[in-house]
Amino acid sequence: MPDDVLTQEPLLRLAAFAGILLLMMLWEVLAPRRSRRYPRRRRWPANLLLAAINTLLLRLLFPLAAVGGALLAEQRGWGLFQLWPLPLWLTLPLSLLVLDFLIYLQHRLFHALPWLWRLHRMHHSDPDIDVTTGLRFHPLEILLSMGIKLGIVILLGAPPLSVLLFEVLLNATSMFNHGNVRLPPRLDAWLRLLLVTPDMHRVHHSVIPRETNSNFGFNLPWWDRLLGTYRAQPEAGHQRMTIGLNDFQDPAELRLGRLLTQPWRQRKEPK
């Protein structure tokens, strides 16, 4: 089982990534939710290059990633689920729930602490929101997040299969809920009972700070509802709302070099 997980993990993640990315790109062409401020050729090169850089860095510095941490914990008997073993049918969903909740808390932390916000704000500075925004993270944030995730996985002793499923789901739902896609209102209302939808997450990318500091969930919408950070709709409506950050509306900020150096320029924190 461990060898199979390790062998298939890169292929499974790549297949899921490519499939969801292409599907979302096609959906955005056929049924866009909002008009774009900038053409794709202005934003996509830097966003996609960031995804490539982050993938390469993770493979170089964390070759086994979070699944490797789960395998190590399983082999050494580390973590809560290794000390108090439960059947896989129970540990698998429990692990997914706990990991998702902790990612929600991590997301809130990256908004709350100024030095973490300076890394995370590059993601929020995108003046449009679409599937590539879900890939647009600063490399230092990605590396720090992976370190945190590895620690959580080892402390939890989560089964390798659940960690693999979580990694695939997190990547897929990040692309889905950042998508510039239209859903029928009734379908959106039903879906967001179980899943963070594009309309729900788009509020989080509003230029208005109180909206930026809401809807932190990636996979499940329940944590926002339970902990008081849920906001159903943007005040200005989805068509008229301004996406991004006030300090980074200059078109020059779309360049890869400006994105990479952004944490060290214009120190501003969300209020």
Side-chain angles (χ1 to χ4, degrees), residues 9 29 60 63 98 118 151 158 270:
E9 186 260 351
V29 170
L60 287 174
V98 172
R118 289 172 66 187

Side-chain angles (χ1 to χ4, degrees), residues 54-270:
N54 291 337
T55 300
L56 180 60
L57 282 174
L58 285 175
R59 284 296 165 190
L60 287 174
L61 299 177
F62 297 95
L64 299 182
V67 175
L71 287 167
L72 180 64
E74 185 178 67
Q75 292 164 3
R76 301 290 178 87
W78 295 341
L80 295 176
F81 285 134
Q82 301 301 322
L83 293 173
W84 294 286
L86 297 170
L88 183 62
W89 64 265
L90 185 55
T91 55
L92 196 149
L94 280 176
S95 296
L96 292 175
L97 279 172
V98 172
L99 287 169
D100 194 67
F101 177 60
L102 292 174
I103 290 294
Y104 163 86
L105 292 179
Q106 178 188 310
H107 193 180
R108 289 192 66 174
L109 193 66
F110 271 72
H111 278 247
L113 297 182
W115 67 278
L116 290 176
W117 170 248
R118 289 172 66 187
L119 295 177
H120 183 60
R121 71 182 183 185
M122 192 198 75
H123 174 65
H124 279 269
S125 67
D126 200 341
D128 281 316
I129 181 169
D130 62 20
V131 61
T132 68
T133 310
L135 310 173
R136 171 189 164 123
F137 293 93
H138 197 280
L140 291 179
E141 179 182 358
I142 288 293
L143 294 177
L144 181 57
S145 295
M146 179 54 72
I148 294 171
K149 194 185 301 178
L150 269 172
I152 290 170
V153 164
I154 291 172
L155 286 172
L156 188 61
L161 179 59
S162 68
V163 177
L164 175 58
L165 287 174
F166 180 75
E167 291 284 82
V168 170
L169 284 171
L170 186 64
N171 194 253
T173 53
S174 180
M175 288 188 285
F176 168 68
N177 60 43
H178 285 90
N180 181 30
V181 294
R182 182 181 299 278
L183 286 170
R186 183 172 294 181
L187 178 59
D188 177 84
W190 278 101
L191 275 180
R192 69 168 65 189
L193 295 175
L194 300 172
L195 185 68
V196 175
T197 66
D199 272 15
M200 177 180 166
H201 190 72
R202 192 176 298 110
V203 179
H204 182 69
H205 283 261
S206 167
V207 76
I208 302 172
R210 61 180 172 274
E211 295 183 346
T212 308
N213 291 314
S214 69
N215 296 6
F216 292 96
F218 272 95
N219 291 320
L220 301 172
W222 308 332
W223 319 124
D224 284 297
R225 293 176 184 270
L226 288 171
L227 297 178
T229 54
Y230 177 70
R231 187 175 291 269
Q233 301 295 337
E235 290 180 6
H238 287 280
Q239 296 299 330
R240 297 190 307 276
M241 68 183 292
T242 301
I243 299 293
L245 297 173
N246 283 324
D247 297 316
F248 300 100
Q249 294 293 325
D250 190 326
E253 296 294 336
L254 296 173
R255 299 171 188 163
L256 180 63
R258 299 286 289 178
L259 295 177
L260 291 173
T261 60
Q262 192 193 106
W264 296 275
R265 293 184 289 109
Q266 293 179 264
R267 292 185 60 184
K268 295 289 179 71
E269 288 77 41

